[in-house]
Amino acid sequence: EVVLMHECLNSLSTFSVIASFSSIEHDGQGRYGDPLDPDGDLAAMNEAWIKLTPGGVLLLNVPVGHDDGFYWYSQRIYGPARLPLLLRGWTYEGLATSTGILAPTIPFQLNRVSSGFPVFVLRKPVYATTPWIPHVNPDTLQCSAKGVCNRKTM
C-alpha cells in the first residue's frame, strides 16, 4: 500500500518498513509547495521516525557527495557534515549502491558511492523514543572530514 505522508501523519498507523526515494533532500525548499525550512530534511526524518515501529526499517535514498551542498530550490547533497546529522539515532545496517551491497562493517567513501544515489538501510532501534531525539546510538554512521564513513561502534 502506498500512503502519502500527510495522510499517514493524520492516522494512528505505523509501519514496519518505510521507503523514501529522492524526496528527503528536497524537503523545506519550497519547490513542491512545502513551507520553507532550512531543516526540512530533518523534520521529514522525524516524521519517518514517528511512523516507523521500533525495530522497523527505513530504506533511504538521498544524493551523497564528498562535500555537503545546498542548492536553493532544488536539493541538498549529503556529505561528511550533514549525512551523520540526517542519520543520527538510526542504526546503520548497510548500503546498496549501483555496484553492490556494503555490509555495515565496511567503511565507504562518499564520493565513490554517489553514482546512482545509494540506498541506506537504516533500522529504528527497539529502544527508540518518539519523537526523534538525537540520542547516542552506538551503531550509527559517522563520517570523517575526508568523506570516509563507517559504522561507529562503542
Side-chain angles (χ1 to χ4, degrees):
E1 175 182 9
V2 175
V3 181
L4 297 177
M5 187 53 89
H6 70 276
E7 296 169 353
C8 180
L9 289 171
N10 290 327
S11 77
L12 297 176
S13 300
T14 57
F15 303 90
S16 58
V17 177
I18 294 177
S20 175
F21 287 83
S22 189
S23 65
I24 297 283
E25 68 271 16
H26 304 289
D27 284 322
Q29 294 193 332
R31 184 175 183 175
Y32 298 103
D34 55 321
L36 297 178
D37 180 356
D39 291 327
D41 56 340
L42 304 181
M45 289 295 282
N46 181 51
E47 292 171 350
W49 183 271
I50 289 168
K51 299 312 289 183
L52 193 64
T53 58
V57 172
L58 172 63
L59 302 173
L60 179 67
N61 169 254
V62 292
V64 299
H66 189 265
D67 296 313
D68 291 271
F70 182 87
Y71 302 94
W72 175 244
Y73 212 64
S74 178
Q75 68 179 357
R76 294 170 184 84
I77 303 295
Y78 294 92
R82 190 75 174 186
L83 183 62
L85 186 61
L86 186 74
L87 304 184
R88 68 183 175 195
W90 297 88
T91 299
Y92 170 68
E93 297 286 349
L95 183 70
T97 71
S98 58
T99 58
I101 298 173
L102 299 176
T105 55
I106 299 174
F108 63 90
Q109 284 196 281
L110 289 170
N111 62 335
R112 293 195 180 158
V113 299
S114 61
S115 176
F117 288 29
V119 177
F120 292 89
V121 181
L122 308 170
R123 185 173 304 279
K124 182 178 177 180
V126 174
Y127 61 83
T129 58
T130 299
W132 182 48
I133 299 173
H135 61 277
V136 175
N137 181 344
D139 297 322
T140 197
L141 189 70
Q142 67 180 7
C143 299
S144 73
K146 293 184 179 184
V148 177
C149 300
N150 60 11
R151 186 167 165 172
K152 178 181 172 183
T153 57
M154 297 187 136

